[in-house]
Amino acid sequence: MNKKHLLKLNDYSKQEIIEILELAEQLKYETRHGIPHDRLRGKTLGMIFQKSSTRTRVSFEVGMYQLGGHALFLSSKDIQMGRGEPIKDTARVLSRYVDGIMIRTYSQKEVEELAYYSSVPVINGLTDDEHPCQVLADLLTIKEFKRKFEGLKVAFIGDGNNMANSLMVGCLKLGMNIAIATPEGFEPQAHIIDEVKEIEKESKGKLYLVNSPKEAATGADVLITDVWVSMGQEEEVKKRKAAFEGFQINRELMNLTNKDSLVLHCLPAHRGEEITEEILEEHEKEIFEEAENRLHVQKAVMVKLMAKS
């Protein structure tokens, strides 16, 4: 793998994604067995947070510590970006201090501009368009529980947002079928679909875009959902709750899936909205394994990008 940044999952080939997952498995084994793996000793990761997070902050910070390095938490209140400094200036300054930058923000363009001007690796911790680290964790979890990718059907029930966008890419690249069920008017953006259609041409998997949760869930091996109202959409709460009524992972939907189907959720979960308490607790094993896997895939990404920088 010879990549400089992780900005979106489509920048990576099938083989490169597999390499990350294989390294993540190795690092997970070493972590659980107390085997030191300080592959980033003396390295520092700058973590820019325009959007707050539990899992992203803790997993990257702990990951750098376990790899022998150090992580710096930089909120928008702590750095000059929050006071109007151009991203390109922040990129060029931080590049002289740290060995890698992780950013969790709103605009994908901000991440791409940061990477353009940065001389160190940039990792996308989340934008409104992409969530590559989370989907890598989802893929690792599917591999652990299903032991394969090709031929599986994954169904995403919810908003055509960053999770849906990155899931389509990851699933198709690894040969899975992916069904995205959204309410009308909440489908993934047209330019994202065009990009994914190109991936589908080379994939053994198929993409299905539907407005029926039942259609998506029928015959699924994995059901995935996300909150109906993401950060920055607080003014749309009433509108979104009305639009997403019926787009809940519940017993009725689970009865349409294949035997031993998985349920995944990137968390935090709003029980009683996108998923019922009953289903979440029945599938807590894979959901919280998925949460742990953020740590391991991100460590793998950091090693791949920063060990050689």
Side-chain angles (χ1 to χ4, degrees):
M1 194 177 93
N2 188 29
K3 289 288 185 288
K4 184 177 180 181
H5 307 292
L6 174 58
L7 308 183
K8 58 183 181 178
L9 208 52
N10 198 24
D11 292 338
Y12 284 67
S13 67
K14 173 182 178 179
Q15 183 56 39
E16 288 167 337
I17 292 172
I18 289 172
E19 286 178 22
I20 291 171
L21 298 180
E22 288 176 344
L23 178 55
E25 286 181 302
Q26 180 182 338
L27 294 172
K28 184 174 184 176
Y29 175 86
E30 292 175 2
T31 301
R32 289 190 166 184
H33 290 80
I35 301 171
H37 46 265
D38 52 349
R39 304 183 186 201
L40 296 182
R41 178 173 292 278
K43 303 274 188 178
T44 301
L45 177 75
M47 306 188 303
I48 300 174
F49 283 86
Q50 306 268 39
K51 283 187 175 184
S52 59
S53 170
T54 300
R55 278 149 292 275
T56 300
R57 177 177 178 179
V58 175
S59 56
F60 270 107
E61 197 161 325
V62 171
M64 275 301 289
Y65 173 78
Q66 292 178 352
L67 290 168
H70 180 69
L72 295 171
F73 173 74
L74 306 169
S75 76
S76 56
K77 297 178 182 178
D78 299 322
I79 59 176
Q80 296 300 325
M81 266 179 64
R83 298 176 62 195
E85 181 176 61
I87 292 171
K88 60 184 179 182
D89 290 356
T90 297
R92 289 181 288 200
V93 169
L94 287 181
S95 294
R96 292 168 182 258
Y97 297 149
V98 301
D99 302 286
I101 301 169
M102 186 285 298
I103 180 168
R104 181 179 169 95
T105 188
Y106 294 90
S107 169
Q108 182 70 18
K109 288 183 179 179
E110 282 189 4
V111 175
E112 292 174 0
E113 184 178 358
L114 186 73
Y116 182 83
Y117 287 98
S118 172
S119 59
V120 299
V122 172
I123 299 169
N124 181 352
L126 172 141
T127 64
D128 289 344
D129 289 348
E130 304 282 344
H131 205 349
C133 291
Q134 178 62 57
V135 169
L136 286 169
D138 293 357
L139 295 174
L140 179 58
T141 309
I142 292 169
K143 184 180 182 186
E144 289 175 332
F145 281 86
K146 291 297 186 182
R147 312 310 306 170
K148 66 174 186 176
F149 292 118
E150 288 189 9
L152 295 179
K153 180 183 178 181
V154 176
F156 177 81
I157 313 295
D159 193 7
N161 61 6
N162 47 17
M163 274 300 299
N165 295 343
S166 294
L167 268 172
M168 289 187 288
V169 172
C171 289
L172 287 173
K173 288 208 171 190
L174 295 181
M176 290 183 280
N177 301 309
I178 173 78
I180 304 292
T182 65
E184 289 186 16
F186 292 89
E187 296 87 354
Q189 295 173 295
H191 75 275
I192 299 287
I193 295 300
D194 290 341
E195 192 174 306
V196 172
K197 290 285 189 182
E198 291 301 311
I199 300 170
E200 185 183 25
K201 292 177 182 177
E202 305 296 325
S203 172
K204 293 183 179 179
K206 294 294 181 184
L207 170 66
Y208 304 94
L209 299 171
V210 299
N211 299 120
S212 165
K214 291 182 179 179
E215 184 178 348
T218 299
D221 300 288
V222 186
L223 282 187
I224 303 179
T225 191
D226 191 6
V227 295
W228 293 342
V229 184
S230 297
M231 221 174 294
Q233 299 172 334
E234 288 79 7
E235 294 181 1
E236 303 175 29
V237 171
K238 289 184 178 179
K239 171 188 172 184
R240 283 179 166 268
K241 284 187 176 182
F244 283 89
E245 187 175 353
F247 282 76
Q248 180 188 74
I249 295 184
N250 52 31
R251 178 65 57 205
E252 182 182 9
L253 216 59
M254 291 302 300
N255 288 339
L256 300 173
T257 66
N258 285 339
K259 184 181 179 182
D260 299 325
S261 57
L262 304 177
V263 174
L264 299 179
H265 194 308
C266 60
L267 302 177
H270 293 171
R271 292 163 169 82
E273 291 185 11
E274 75 275 4
I275 189 169
T276 63
E277 173 85 15
E278 175 191 23
I279 298 302
L280 190 147
E281 291 301 330
E282 278 186 11
H283 293 269
E284 58 84 23
K285 183 176 181 180
E286 62 258 36
I287 289 172
F288 290 98
E289 197 74 24
E290 171 194 15
E292 178 186 338
N293 283 340
R294 285 288 301 275
L295 171 65
H296 306 300
V297 297
Q298 288 162 189
K299 285 163 68 175
V301 169
M302 290 189 289
V303 169
K304 289 284 189 183
L305 297 179
M306 294 172 62
K308 62 189 178 184
S309 65

